[in-house]
């Protein structure tokens, strides 16, 4: 059987490789890892619940956040999400926060968030900044929640 030269494999592209880097040879204990997600729920006296989240919110950490967020947004209490120590917010986190905002709104309560600038930028690009009532600090978010009128 003869091979057709027009079907020869293409030469490798010139320039940097797009393949994944080789796995690290360092033991797992020596490799840096992302900090675990930390979630804490606090009621404000005469105010909203404050759900504080620390760490990246992504596909790996979202399952740890979901039960806390569901519980905090289920009973019709105003809710502030403190995301000031969240350096990365992935699509799964945005979807969870959008769903929580809808749950809170259906119960005639208010949801506001305190976010750092890079997370606020991502929320703005997706249009979720209006849905989530973004503020710069927890105090501003609490004040915005306390100052809102329920319809």
């Amino acid at each position: 059987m003869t091979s057709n030269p027009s079907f020869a494999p293409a030469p490798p592209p010139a320039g940097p490789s797009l393949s994944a880097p080789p796995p690290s040879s360092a033991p797992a204990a020596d490799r840096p890892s992302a900090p675990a997600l930390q979630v804490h729920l606090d009621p404000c006296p005469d105010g909203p619940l404050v759900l504080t989240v620390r760490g990246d919110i992504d596909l790996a950490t979202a399952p740890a956040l979901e039960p806390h967020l569901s519980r905090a947004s289920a009973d019709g209490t105003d809710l502030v999400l403190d995301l000031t120590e969240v350096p990365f917010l992935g699509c799964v986190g945005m979807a969870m926060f959008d769903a929580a905002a809808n749950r809170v709104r259906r119960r005639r309560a208010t949801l506001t968030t305190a976010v750092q600038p890079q997370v606020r930028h991502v929320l703005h690009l997706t249009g979720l900044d209006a849905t989530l009532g973004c503020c710069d600090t927890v105090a501003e978010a609490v004040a915005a929640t306390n100052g809102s009128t329920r319809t």
Side-chain angles (χ1 to χ4, degrees):
M1 175 175 204
T2 60
S3 65
N4 184 341
S6 63
F7 291 106
S17 171
L18 297 178
S19 63
S24 172
S25 60
D30 294 340
R31 280 186 243 145
S33 61
L37 190 71
Q38 297 176 356
V39 182
H40 187 70
L41 184 63
D42 278 319
C44 281
D46 300 321
L49 291 173
V50 177
L51 184 69
T52 302
V53 183
R54 290 183 180 96
D56 292 344
I57 302 173
D58 56 21
L59 194 57
T61 60
L65 175 59
E66 178 59 33
H68 299 281
L69 186 59
S70 292
R71 193 170 342 142
S73 62
D75 68 358
T77 303
D78 291 331
L79 178 62
V80 169
L81 298 176
D82 176 2
L83 307 179
T84 57
E85 294 187 45
V86 172
F88 176 81
L89 178 61
C91 293
V92 68
M94 288 184 265
M96 286 181 358
F97 294 143
D98 187 40
N102 289 327
R103 279 192 301 272
V104 167
R105 196 173 18 257
R106 280 194 305 269
R107 289 164 178 79
R108 298 185 181 268
T110 304
L111 182 141
T112 56
T113 58
V115 295
Q116 53 180 292
Q118 66 266 26
V119 171
R120 186 180 200 144
H121 180 70
V122 170
L123 293 173
H124 175 72
L125 291 174
T126 61
L128 285 173
D129 58 336
T131 301
L132 299 177
C134 292
C135 299
D136 292 329
T137 67
V138 174
E140 289 174 8
V142 168
T145 301
N146 287 338
S148 70
T149 58
R150 295 185 183 195
T151 57

